[in-house]
Amino acid sequence: MIAESIALTCLIVLGLAVPAKAAPPASDDIATSGGVLRIFFIGHGSLRFEYGGKNIYVDPYAKVGDYSAMPPADLVLLTHEHQDHLDVAALDKIAGPDTPFVLTGACLQAVGRGMVLENGQAAVVAGIPVEAVPAYNIVHMRAPDTPFHPKGRGNGYVLTFGDVRVYVAGDTENIPEMADLRNIDVAFLPMNLPYTMTPEMTADAAKRFKPKVLYPYHYGDTDPARLVALLKDSGIEVRVRELR
């Protein structure tokens, strides 16, 4: 033990690097027909997309990021009203009185402004095509017949950046409507219990619409390596980033 400590001290004194595990990337770049889409992994269910000089935020949450150090929002998307997805403190750091919000009816009651998109509706906001899609529980319940996320209350969103379509699922399970998704290039699927999906459910969801790239997100204590193994031969590239 003493010898190992002395050896480590010598390495530091000599300026030799001690091998360390590489940190996950803080952002990824995706090529699109309209330029680079940069995806910032803030944490949990929180994301930032930088595209065409604009910053698009999804579910800002102050617990996982310093929003005072981030650029102002050109568009904010809120998937549902739970406090780890709708955080007024985080919104106050990045959004001004004229910042457009796309949100649900329940979020509108809390925020007081914004464009409500119901499941199945679409709009172009801040120059970004946005589609609202269903996000809800079938299996996991808060109490008998009371799902954690009821059908019709929350949204997932499909965003189009040039020729690239990005699906941010929100809090959902592997619902039948996922089979209706088309031409999804990049997907974010939640994987934490008891609120959303197991790795097996997430793998099933991905196979329904076959994104080119899949990021598990909002995965809490669930091991994303299980999802990587389940989709090993699916043709879907699973990218694990720090999105607990």
Side-chain angles (χ1 to χ4, degrees):
M1 182 72 71
I2 294 174
E4 290 176 359
S5 178
I6 293 172
L8 179 59
T9 302
C10 290
L11 285 173
I12 295 171
V13 171
L14 292 172
L16 299 177
V18 179
K21 185 177 179 181
S27 65
D28 280 356
D29 288 351
I30 306 290
T32 83
S33 61
V36 172
L37 167 65
R38 180 161 291 170
I39 306 172
F40 292 87
F41 312 108
I42 300 172
H44 198 63
S46 302
L47 303 166
R48 173 163 68 92
F49 300 103
E50 184 180 274
Y51 177 77
K54 296 177 180 178
N55 287 281
I56 299 95
Y57 289 83
V58 180
D59 289 350
Y61 184 32
K63 187 176 180 179
V64 296
D66 180 7
Y67 284 88
S68 64
M70 298 183 201
D74 296 287
L75 172 61
V76 176
L77 304 169
L78 301 176
T79 61
H80 63 293
E81 75 278 10
H82 290 166
Q83 58 86 26
D84 56 334
H85 294 264
L86 194 171
D87 181 353
V88 174
L91 292 174
D92 286 345
K93 300 289 186 183
I94 55 169
D98 298 322
T99 304
F101 290 178
V102 174
L103 36 63
T104 65
C107 290
L108 178 64
Q109 292 179 18
V111 176
R113 65 183 181 87
M115 175 186 291
V116 173
L117 288 185
E118 303 289 350
N119 294 169
Q121 293 183 330
V124 177
V125 189
I128 306 297
V130 180
E131 305 166 39
V133 296
Y136 62 95
N137 291 104
I138 299 172
V139 175
H140 297 120
M141 301 285 161
R142 190 178 304 277
D145 299 319
T146 306
F148 286 106
H149 304 93
K151 186 174 183 178
R153 190 172 181 87
N155 284 341
Y157 294 106
V158 178
L159 311 176
T160 301
F161 302 99
D163 60 346
V164 170
R165 286 166 56 78
V166 178
Y167 170 44
V168 182
D171 278 7
T172 188
E173 292 177 3
N174 48 334
I175 56 178
E177 291 90 341
M178 288 180 176
D180 298 328
L181 294 168
R182 295 289 182 269
N183 303 316
I184 301 298
D185 298 288
V186 178
F188 289 85
L189 292 176
M191 191 175 66
N192 66 316
L193 293 178
Y195 309 105
T196 60
M197 294 189 277
T198 64
E200 289 75 15
M201 294 167 77
T202 305
D204 174 73
K207 289 176 182 178
R208 294 186 185 200
F209 60 92
K210 295 182 171 58
K212 295 175 183 175
V213 176
L214 170 62
Y215 293 96
Y217 86 136
H218 195 345
Y219 54 80
D221 294 326
T222 303
D223 185 0
R226 175 61 179 158
L227 179 65
V228 173
L230 288 167
L231 292 175
K232 181 179 179 181
D233 299 315
S234 67
I236 299 169
E237 179 187 352
V238 181
R239 297 183 183 178
V240 177
R241 302 295 185 257
E242 189 53 48
L243 286 165
R244 295 185 183 280

